[in-house]
Amino acid sequence: MINFAIVGMGHIANKHIEAIEKAENANLYAICDNNPARLEIDKPNVKKYTDLNTMLEENPDIHVVNICVPSGLHAALTKIVADHKRHIIVEKPMSLKLQDAEDMIQYANENGVKLAVVHPNRFRPAIQKLKAEMDKGSFGKLSHANATVRWNRNQAYYDQAAWRGTKEFDGGVLMNQAIHDLDLMLWLMGPVESVQAMAATRLRKIETEDVAAAVVQFKSGALGVIEAATTIYPKNLEESLAIFGETASVKISGRNANYIETWDIEGVAEEEAEKIKDEIKADPFGKPGHQCIIEDMVLALKENRNPIVTGEDGLAPVKLILSILESAETGKKVVIK
């Protein structure tokens, strides 16, 4: 049994609690938050702390700590956990600064602990199906990809907490919402060579962008188009990922990217393609992504391997987003090193 602790008992912690409770061989051992009121949950067997160091010092049986605090605090808490030789699962984005992300990887490596980043959308059935086809080479030479996030996050959403929408602790639509899709794009298409972008704060009273558009060139030579917004009225409209190659065109879409809209692959008959679409439609969400992350960490410890979503994987979309924002600010193309 792997004992988990959670630090940061805000909204996302509920998903972690549910995931740990459902995951095989996982146990919620302790929770921590500097606001005592947030520790008032009906879990009598779970230990509760207001100080992270105290929790770790008093409980050597904690194996993994899930970091669920505002994004700007991830690096500092990762160092504390790593210094105590505990493994780490950190919510997305793993950091808001490139140096922080690199430091987090270094902290884990120096202390011999595993670091996983929460990018749960990789485990969606439609995405898993697409990944398998790309790994088989079904697309041939890649042409381009498109990632679209047209969502609504109204002013009330940002007003829930003072840190929301800030540059120091939260980030904008790219770091907070579209990062899931950028992670998928990088996972499927490979690293980006350069980016040209624009971003703006149009409708929300926040420090960061609420709408952004970018064109990227991948190291393979393929192109990509990114559109991300939290300004869509009156509710979420769509999240989609489309990939095009010389022998395949696939688009995964819906309000959340869970359904296969287009599945045109050379050698796949129309009836078979429709059957694949129907199979995904029958179970579009599959096992919850957070549960997959928890179970993967349990197996990574058992098998002494890296988690499926490593610190390096978490760093890649952060680097891309920071390059998009740099291009938007300077008006120039940014080459990603």
Side-chain angles (χ1 to χ4, degrees):
M1 185 67 69
I2 301 300
N3 291 323
F4 287 80
I6 298 173
V7 56
M9 292 301 295
H11 171 73
I12 200 65
N14 294 323
K15 284 193 174 184
H16 286 253
I17 292 172
E18 184 178 357
I20 292 166
E21 291 179 339
K22 287 184 176 180
E24 190 174 350
N25 295 321
N27 174 55
L28 180 60
Y29 191 93
I31 59 175
C32 179
D33 197 291
N34 60 10
N35 181 353
R38 290 185 172 179
L39 299 174
E40 294 176 2
I41 63 172
D42 187 21
K43 302 289 179 184
N45 296 323
V46 175
K47 297 185 178 183
K48 300 170 183 179
Y49 291 86
T50 55
D51 180 76
L52 177 59
N53 277 293
T54 302
M55 180 180 75
L56 295 173
E57 288 164 4
E58 292 186 359
N59 297 280
D61 289 340
I62 292 173
H63 302 108
V64 183
V65 177
N66 295 24
I67 298 177
C68 301
V69 297
S71 304
L73 301 174
H74 286 176
L77 270 63
T78 294
K79 185 177 192 309
I80 292 172
V81 177
D83 285 345
H84 282 85
K85 311 298 183 185
R86 314 303 170 87
H87 305 286
I88 302 155
I89 295 176
V90 63
E91 261 295 338
K92 62 79 193 169
M94 70 180 293
S95 68
L96 301 176
K97 298 176 182 178
L98 187 59
Q99 186 61 57
D100 282 350
E102 292 172 346
D103 287 346
M104 291 166 72
I105 294 169
Q106 184 178 342
Y107 298 149
N109 289 340
E110 287 178 349
N111 286 281
V113 300
K114 301 183 189 302
L115 171 62
V117 183
V118 179
H119 282 293
N121 292 14
R122 290 190 184 196
F123 299 93
R124 290 177 174 176
I127 298 297
Q128 288 282 312
K129 191 76 175 175
L130 173 55
K131 174 64 171 171
E133 290 296 331
M134 297 200 72
D135 288 346
K136 283 164 54 179
S138 299
F139 282 71
K141 187 176 182 179
L142 292 169
S143 166
H144 66 292
N146 181 284
T148 301
V149 181
R150 295 170 175 162
W151 281 354
N152 174 277
R153 295 293 184 271
N154 59 24
Q155 192 61 45
Y157 166 85
Y158 292 104
D159 291 342
Q160 290 178 72
W163 57 269
R164 287 188 183 273
T166 64
K167 293 181 179 179
E168 184 177 2
F169 295 112
D170 190 30
V173 61
L174 292 168
M175 279 290 191
N176 217 341
Q177 284 81 30
I179 192 168
H180 290 297
D181 304 271
L182 300 188
D183 168 66
L184 295 178
M185 180 180 274
L186 291 166
W187 189 44
L188 297 167
M189 296 290 292
V192 169
E193 178 77 29
S194 63
V195 58
Q196 182 84 48
M198 300 180 75
T201 309
R202 294 293 298 162
L203 302 183
R204 309 299 176 229
K205 296 177 181 178
I206 55 176
E207 293 179 359
T208 52
E209 81 289 344
D210 58 14
V211 60
V215 177
V216 303
Q217 183 170 35
F218 296 93
K219 289 187 183 295
S220 67
L223 302 182
V225 177
I226 298 163
E227 176 194 339
T230 53
T231 57
I232 305 306
Y233 176 83
K235 57 188 177 182
N236 289 1
L237 177 62
E238 68 171 304
E239 176 188 17
S240 66
L241 179 69
I243 296 179
F244 305 96
E246 60 182 336
T247 53
S249 296
V250 170
K251 182 179 181 182
I252 296 173
S253 62
R255 284 192 182 176
N256 299 93
N258 290 102
Y259 301 92
I260 295 176
E261 180 178 331
T262 302
W263 192 264
D264 294 328
I265 298 176
E266 188 177 74
V268 177
E270 185 175 345
E271 291 114 6
E272 185 179 350
E274 289 302 316
K275 183 180 178 182
I276 290 169
K277 290 181 186 179
D278 289 341
E279 288 174 352
I280 296 297
K281 191 174 182 180
D283 185 22
F285 295 95
K287 185 181 292 186
H290 281 73
Q291 184 179 341
C292 293
I293 294 285
I294 298 296
E295 292 179 347
D296 176 59
M297 178 60 87
V298 170
L299 289 175
L301 293 175
K302 180 180 178 181
E303 299 167 3
N304 194 26
R305 61 163 171 82
N306 288 328
I308 289 175
V309 188
T310 64
E312 287 79 7
D313 292 327
L315 183 148
V318 171
K319 181 182 287 189
L320 174 56
I321 290 167
L322 293 174
S323 298
I324 291 172
L325 294 174
E326 180 184 346
S327 175
E329 185 175 346
T330 63
K332 299 177 181 179
K333 181 171 76 172
V334 173
V335 175
I336 302 176
K337 298 178 181 179

